[in-house]
Amino acid sequence: MSGRIRAALIGLAFVAACSPESPAPPPEDTPIPDEPPVEAAILYAPTGWDSVSGWSGTDPRAALGAFSRSCARLALRPDDAVMNPRVAATGTAGDWRAACTIANHDYTDSEEARAAIESVFTPVRVTAPDAETGMLTGYYEPEVEVRRQREGEFTQPLRARPDDLLIADLGAFEPDLAGRRIVGRAAERNFVPYRTRGEIEAEEAGEPLAWGRPIDVFFLQIQGSGRIVYPDGAQARAAFAAHNGRPYNSIGRVLIDRGEMELSDASKDGIEAWLNEAGPEAARELFNQNPRYAFFALEPLSDPSLGPRGAEGVPLTPMASIAADPAFHAFGTPVFLSAELPGEPGWQGLVVVQDTGGAITGPMRGDMFYGWGETAERRAGSQRSQGEWIILLPQELAARLTQAS
């Protein structure tokens, strides 16, 4: 494949890349970095458990539950399957088999759980050549009130993926582009970009699954998935099904550029206040400034204690699942994280890499999944601090790192 064709395909694939404000994108939205030698950008320092400050005071049982779900996915892969083709340090599925043996166990207390982890893992401190910490933000699963039919203020549909929306995997044409996708539709025997937000609404592309308030549905699309709640108390999950492949444009940035809002006010609450004051027509015009449009599929809440599926394909666990950059980490990797959390200064805990996002870039850049509901929304919205990372690698894998250094 020529460099020009390859560059064109990668450029097209970026059209389908995840939005900078959508911290929990689905698997097809994994960002497409430009051929990086990641080993030069991340430093590993295997250490002993005695040197991990704060470890003895943590309860890792929720993270072990999250890890068990990652292990269930891992069990489906052959031993020689690489955990992450871009990160040699994370090894193969076979390297993780022994570590997964501790996952499916009901630990009676935190001490027993820590002992099990210590028996199979080695802590490995992660830094970058120019930094020892990375930014930690938070995300959540919104809860949205809906109706089964259009009524009153519930005028905006949550739409199903349209039948004419096509997603092309570039790996079918070039193996080293596997997993990188573009979105469009067939028109006059050509593959063309899919409709914009305004065109989708005007042409009513996609079957309505439920009806919500326009503001709620718009923010649900940005978040990527959420729980919907009917008047009778019934709930379901609006799971991400696809997007239209158009680039994301922040409406907060639009308001700032127009001089209608200061940067300090461009939060979700601030934008929502502006929309409520401006009225439906102004809101619709502003929404259309963001051509990106997300479609959904309704799923039952089979386990209300778990969140939506992350990019790894497993349900997220509140305060135990984290989004990280796939250029530097493999899904299923446990991380002992030290950071300031809202209301919890000096927090330390074990989390598992199970998701990714367009704004989540760098060896120590993380996005904590806080759960759902008002408390989770409030905490996620105010989460912004530096975090220290210690990843846990199976002992033999960590030993190879030490030998190579």
Side-chain angles (χ1 to χ4, degrees):
M1 174 182 286
S2 73
R4 179 174 296 179
I5 294 175
R6 179 185 175 87
L9 287 174
I10 292 177
L12 284 171
F14 261 109
V15 172
C18 53
S19 76
E21 295 187 15
S22 179
E28 70 179 31
D29 276 5
T30 300
I32 305 165
D34 269 340
E35 318 223 1
V38 298
E39 286 79 4
I42 186 170
L43 304 176
Y44 301 103
T47 187
W49 285 105
D50 290 344
S51 67
V52 180
S53 175
W55 169 249
S56 62
T58 60
D59 186 346
R61 285 177 290 179
L64 278 173
F67 182 60
S68 70
R69 286 179 276 278
S70 292
C71 284
R73 296 274 294 189
L74 191 64
L76 303 176
R77 305 178 65 186
D79 281 352
D80 60 354
V82 293
M83 293 290 288
N84 185 331
R86 303 199 34 218
V87 189
T90 57
T92 65
D95 291 325
W96 287 76
R97 299 283 187 232
C100 282
T101 61
I102 69 167
N104 293 314
H105 182 77
D106 186 15
Y107 294 96
T108 57
D109 55 39
S110 59
E111 183 177 359
E112 183 187 14
R114 288 195 303 273
I117 291 170
E118 292 170 14
S119 71
V120 295
F121 283 114
T122 295
V124 178
R125 195 173 302 277
V126 169
T127 57
D130 57 351
E132 295 187 356
T133 62
M135 178 60 64
L136 178 68
T137 52
Y139 66 111
Y140 69 102
E141 182 179 29
E143 290 183 327
V144 176
E145 187 179 354
V146 298
R147 299 291 186 269
R148 291 182 172 83
Q149 303 294 330
R150 176 172 179 156
E151 60 178 76
E153 60 184 332
F154 297 87
T155 59
Q156 178 62 45
L158 284 71
R159 297 188 182 277
R161 173 178 169 173
D163 291 338
D164 64 345
L165 187 148
L166 304 175
I167 300 175
D169 187 339
L170 299 183
F173 306 96
E174 183 65 23
D176 65 352
L177 295 178
R180 304 174 183 183
R181 305 178 182 186
I182 55 174
V183 180
R185 63 189 177 94
E188 298 180 358
R189 302 179 68 181
N190 291 312
F191 187 74
V192 301
Y194 201 75
R195 300 173 180 86
T196 64
R197 173 179 295 275
E199 292 167 342
I200 289 168
E201 295 294 3
E203 300 177 31
E204 299 184 350
E207 177 188 359
L209 301 172
W211 297 81
R213 300 180 184 91
I215 293 175
D216 292 343
V217 174
F218 182 83
F219 283 114
L220 178 64
Q221 290 183 319
I222 292 177
Q223 198 70 17
S225 67
R227 300 185 180 206
I228 60 174
V229 184
Y230 297 97
D232 60 3
Q235 296 188 28
R237 174 165 287 124
F240 179 92
H243 63 59
N244 62 343
R246 297 285 182 161
Y248 176 87
N249 187 31
S250 165
I251 61 173
R253 173 53 59 184
V254 171
L255 291 174
I256 293 170
D257 291 345
R258 289 177 177 177
E260 300 188 54
M261 181 172 288
E262 297 294 328
L263 177 61
S264 59
D265 297 324
S267 63
K268 178 179 180 294
D269 289 342
I271 295 171
E272 189 167 349
W274 186 96
L275 292 166
N276 286 325
E277 183 177 348
E281 290 302 319
R284 186 177 301 109
E285 186 276 332
L286 181 63
F287 291 158
N288 285 341
Q289 298 303 307
N290 173 28
R292 170 70 63 89
Y293 195 98
F295 300 98
F296 298 98
L298 297 189
E299 298 179 351
L301 285 176
S302 54
D303 186 346
S305 68
L306 295 175
R309 290 189 303 274
E312 186 185 16
V314 302
L316 303 176
T317 304
M319 301 298 295
S321 295
I322 193 170
D325 188 345
F328 298 97
H329 301 284
F331 288 132
T333 302
V335 181
F336 184 65
L337 189 64
S338 301
E340 301 290 316
L341 303 190
E344 295 186 68
W347 179 88
Q348 294 179 296
L350 190 66
V351 296
V352 182
V353 176
Q354 296 182 316
D355 207 357
T356 186
I360 313 305
T361 57
M364 295 168 289
R365 175 69 171 93
D367 209 22
M368 175 81 78
F369 178 65
Y370 270 99
W372 47 89
E374 293 182 3
T375 300
E377 178 179 359
R378 183 174 64 254
R379 297 189 74 193
S382 59
Q383 173 62 55
R384 189 173 181 84
S385 66
Q386 290 293 307
E388 297 180 2
W389 284 52
I390 295 177
I391 64 172
L392 308 189
L393 292 180
Q395 290 173 345
E396 291 187 7
L397 196 55
R400 295 207 295 267
L401 267 182
T402 302
Q403 294 165 4
S405 61

